[in-house]
Amino acid sequence: MKINVKKNLLEENDAIAGRIREALSLQKVTAVNIMGSPGAGKTSLIEGILPRITEGLRAAVIEGDIASSMDTDRLRKLGYDAVQINTDGACRLDANMVWHGISALDLAGLDVILIENVGNLVCPASCDIGETVRLVITSVPEGDDKPVKYPLIFQGADIVVINKMDLKPHTSFDEGMVVRSITDINPSSKIFPVSCVTKRGIEELSSHILSRHLPRP
Amino acid sequence: MKINVKKNLLEENDAIAGRIREALSLQKVTAVNIMGSPGAGKTSLIEGILPRITEGLRAAVIEGDIASSMDTDRLRKLGYDAVQINTDGACRLDANMVWHGISALDLAGLDVILIENVGNLVCPASCDIGETVRLVITSVPEGDDKPVKYPLIFQGADIVVINKMDLKPHTSFDEGMVVRSITDINPSSKIFPVSCVTKRGIEELSSHILSRHLPRP
């Protein structure tokens, strides 16, 4: 007898992800899965785009972290609706965790959910959480070789944000090389150079996310 | 019947890690497990400390990556002995992978092995690879909240490097806060603020690693 545990767990995850996707579609809610290394600037990006997104739409945030509720506290202090999920050591959110997070929100009263995944360029790549849009952040000080070294997460991205562009003058970061390698791996991804400090690119990125939202009839 | 797959796999890993530790001890080889986020500067740090370490000792590098052999190529170009391990999607090196890496080296002809783990602040924390010293790199642009958000990896660290200190003037990084939170989590860890660009701290860190090496009789 051979038990393929990994396959069974994946199938269970994907079934829950399917239920999330169905619930989101029914309520016309766009959920953005935001992934990136620890310190790539996921929370800062969420803080950056929320004011623009909440101009016309109702938004909430699901914060995935190994430990602590620092990011949720940060967002609540700014007046945003945020739910904390601690993964208890797990290296990424899974569909079951997100299902619990969504159950704590009033889906019928929302248009957009920003889901901040655990800081990790590997594990979240292969775990469907039922999201509508997959957004990957890479940042200038991480260096220009990340897409080549962690291809899977870039392969599945709808949007790639190159964050911390304000630090570019102080590094040897080759923007052209990064754009070329992302495009090689995933020609259909939309790439946005952004700085949460100078606000460069925040407007363009927010508009693009808004353009992907299907308005309620 | 209940099969605890996770426990069995861990036990198997730890048994191999034990064999690695025994082989290293027998040959008086110090192996440093170098962990950190993608882009924290693991390869640059290895490049920084190798000249000082190879002044008196014989060293080799094991490079762990999801994909690509970019880092091994970088080190070989500089004339260092390096072995590439591609984890084929796995989010960290395990003992079996390291065992294969070590088998490709001549242990009797070595004093120090620097093992670059996969860029990840989560998965490597809980996986013993038989190392002698655990070194965690965090870097200034990642922000000062990493120890609080990823405590487990800092808890197990013998050495913590705060890298990219040259970028500190361009960020809001609070060095005192990071040092305090690392010390709270792990009072016995040695902390080194470093810059691979200005070479600040490289000498101190290299000397400390050398001081942990047990010379052959």
Side-chain angles (χ1 to χ4, degrees), chain B residues 44-57:
Chain B
S44 299
L45 192 83
I46 290 172
E47 285 174 353
I49 60 178
L50 267 179
R52 178 71 178 81
I53 286 176
T54 52
E55 270 172 26
L57 298 177

Side-chain angles (χ1 to χ4, degrees), chain A residues 151-165:
Chain A
L152 195 61
I153 202 158
F154 290 91
Q155 226 165 59
D158 301 299
I159 301 171
V160 178
V161 170
I162 306 174
N163 197 16
K164 308 196 188 180
M165 287 298 288

Side-chain angles (χ1 to χ4, degrees), chain B residues 75-117:
Chain B
L75 292 164
R76 283 194 185 145
K77 234 178 243 171
L78 296 170
Y80 297 113
D81 197 6
V83 174
Q84 180 74 44
I85 301 177
N86 281 142
T87 65
D88 199 22
C91 57
R92 42 129 192 74
L93 290 173
D94 64 26
N96 193 39
M97 296 172 193
V98 173
W99 180 262
H100 278 92
I102 283 178
S103 307
L105 295 169
D106 171 27
L107 268 198
L110 282 174
D111 302 297
V112 174
I113 304 175
L114 303 177
I115 306 173
E116 181 175 340
N117 219 311

Side-chain angles (χ1 to χ4, degrees), chain A residues 56-133:
Chain A
L57 299 177
R58 294 158 304 172
V61 181
I62 295 177
E63 276 295 333
D65 277 299
I66 298 280
S68 92
S69 63
M70 287 173 93
D71 293 343
T72 298
D73 300 343
R74 249 170 92 174
L75 292 164
R76 283 194 187 143
K77 233 178 243 170
L78 296 170
Y80 297 113
D81 198 6
V83 174
Q84 181 74 44
I85 300 178
N86 281 143
T87 64
D88 198 22
C91 57
R92 42 128 192 74
L93 290 173
D94 65 25
N96 192 40
M97 297 172 192
V98 173
W99 180 261
H100 279 93
I102 284 178
S103 305
L105 295 168
D106 171 27
L107 268 198
L110 283 173
D111 302 297
V112 174
I113 304 176
L114 303 177
I115 306 174
E116 182 176 340
N117 218 312
V118 175
N120 198 314
L121 273 193
V122 188
C123 311
S126 50
C127 191
D128 186 3
I129 55 168
E131 73 282 306
T132 328
V133 177

Side-chain angles (χ1 to χ4, degrees), chain B residues 30 32 48-55 57 112 133 135 159 190 192 194 201-214:
Chain B
T30 300
V32 187
I49 60 178
L50 267 179
R52 178 71 178 81
I53 286 176
T54 52
E55 270 172 26
L57 298 177
V112 174
V133 177
L135 186 158
I159 301 171
K190 287 281 293 176
F192 294 89
V194 163
I202 292 288
E203 173 58 31
E204 293 84 342
L205 173 65
S206 307
S207 300
H208 180 73
I209 291 174
L210 288 172
S211 78
R212 300 193 70 126
H213 175 68
L214 221 62

Side-chain angles (χ1 to χ4, degrees), chain B residues 9-204:
Chain B
L9 287 176
L10 259 178
E11 277 171 6
E12 200 185 304
N13 182 80
D14 291 354
I16 302 173
R19 267 162 51 200
I20 294 174
R21 203 163 271 121
E22 212 174 302
L24 293 173
S25 159
L26 205 68
Q27 300 283 354
K28 301 261 184 289
V29 175
T30 300
V32 187
N33 181 2
I34 301 177
M35 297 166 281
S37 299
K42 294 180 290 302
T43 316
S44 299
L45 192 83
I46 290 172
E47 285 174 353
I49 60 178
L50 267 179
R52 178 71 178 81
I53 286 176
T54 52
E55 270 172 26
L57 298 177
R58 294 158 304 174
V61 182
I62 296 177
E63 276 295 332
D65 277 300
I66 299 281
S68 91
S69 63
M70 287 173 93
D71 293 343
T72 298
D73 300 343
R74 249 169 92 172
L75 292 164
R76 283 194 185 145
K77 234 178 243 171
L78 296 170
Y80 297 113
D81 197 6
V83 174
Q84 180 74 44
I85 301 177
N86 281 142
T87 65
D88 199 22
C91 57
R92 42 129 192 74
L93 290 173
D94 64 26
N96 193 39
M97 296 172 193
V98 173
W99 180 262
H100 278 92
I102 283 178
S103 307
L105 295 169
D106 171 27
L107 268 198
L110 282 174
D111 302 297
V112 174
I113 304 175
L114 303 177
I115 306 173
E116 181 175 340
N117 219 311
V118 175
N120 198 313
L121 273 192
V122 188
C123 311
S126 51
C127 191
D128 186 4
I129 56 168
E131 73 282 305
T132 329
V133 177
R134 290 171 74 83
L135 186 158
V136 172
I137 310 185
T138 185
S139 68
V140 166
E142 289 172 53
D144 40 35
D145 57 357
K146 292 300 141 313
V148 178
K149 294 177 78 177
Y150 302 87
L152 196 60
I153 202 158
F154 290 91
Q155 226 164 59
D158 300 298
I159 301 171
V160 178
V161 169
I162 306 175
N163 196 17
K164 307 196 190 182
M165 286 299 289
D166 52 292
L167 290 177
K168 189 167 168 279
H170 312 294
T171 68
S172 58
F173 186 80
D174 184 340
E175 189 183 346
M177 185 184 129
V178 168
V179 171
R180 274 192 306 280
S181 51
I182 296 168
T183 311
D184 277 354
I185 292 167
N186 180 352
S188 66
S189 65
K190 287 281 293 176
I191 304 171
F192 294 89
V194 163
S195 165
C196 297
V197 176
T198 66
K199 307 291 175 210
R200 168 181 170 185
I202 292 288
E203 173 58 31
E204 293 84 342

Side-chain angles (χ1 to χ4, degrees), chain A residues 8-211:
Chain A
N8 289 352
L9 287 176
L10 259 178
E11 277 172 6
E12 199 185 304
N13 182 80
D14 291 355
I16 302 173
R19 266 160 53 201
I20 293 174
R21 202 163 271 120
E22 213 173 301
L24 293 172
S25 159
L26 205 68
Q27 300 282 355
K28 301 259 183 289
V29 175
T30 301
V32 187
N33 181 2
I34 301 177
M35 298 166 282
S37 299
K42 294 179 291 299
T43 316
S44 298
L45 192 83
I46 290 172
E47 285 174 354
I49 61 178
L50 267 178
R52 179 71 178 81
I53 286 176
T54 53
E55 270 173 26
L57 299 177
R58 294 158 304 172
V61 181
I62 295 177
E63 276 295 333
D65 277 299
I66 298 280
S68 92
S69 63
M70 287 173 93
D71 293 343
T72 298
D73 300 343
R74 249 170 92 174
L75 292 164
R76 283 194 187 143
K77 233 178 243 170
L78 296 170
Y80 297 113
D81 198 6
V83 174
Q84 181 74 44
I85 300 178
N86 281 143
T87 64
D88 198 22
C91 57
R92 42 128 192 74
L93 290 173
D94 65 25
N96 192 40
M97 297 172 192
V98 173
W99 180 261
H100 279 93
I102 284 178
S103 305
L105 295 168
D106 171 27
L107 268 198
L110 283 173
D111 302 297
V112 174
I113 304 176
L114 303 177
I115 306 174
E116 182 176 340
N117 218 312
V118 175
N120 198 314
L121 273 193
V122 188
C123 311
S126 50
C127 191
D128 186 3
I129 55 168
E131 73 282 306
T132 328
V133 177
R134 290 171 74 83
L135 186 157
V136 173
I137 310 185
T138 186
S139 67
V140 166
E142 289 173 54
D144 40 35
D145 55 358
K146 293 298 141 311
V148 177
K149 294 178 77 177
Y150 302 87
L152 195 61
I153 202 158
F154 290 91
Q155 226 165 59
D158 301 299
I159 301 171
V160 178
V161 170
I162 306 174
N163 197 16
K164 308 196 188 180
M165 287 298 288
D166 52 292
L167 290 177
K168 190 167 168 275
H170 311 294
T171 68
S172 58
F173 186 81
D174 184 340
E175 188 183 346
M177 186 185 129
V178 168
V179 171
R180 273 193 306 280
S181 50
I182 297 168
T183 312
D184 276 355
I185 293 167
N186 180 353
S188 66
S189 66
K190 286 283 291 176
I191 303 171
F192 294 89
V194 162
S195 164
C196 296
V197 176
T198 66
K199 307 294 175 209
R200 168 180 170 186
I202 292 288
E203 173 58 33
E204 292 85 341
L205 173 65
S206 308
S207 300
H208 180 73
I209 292 175
L210 289 172
S211 78

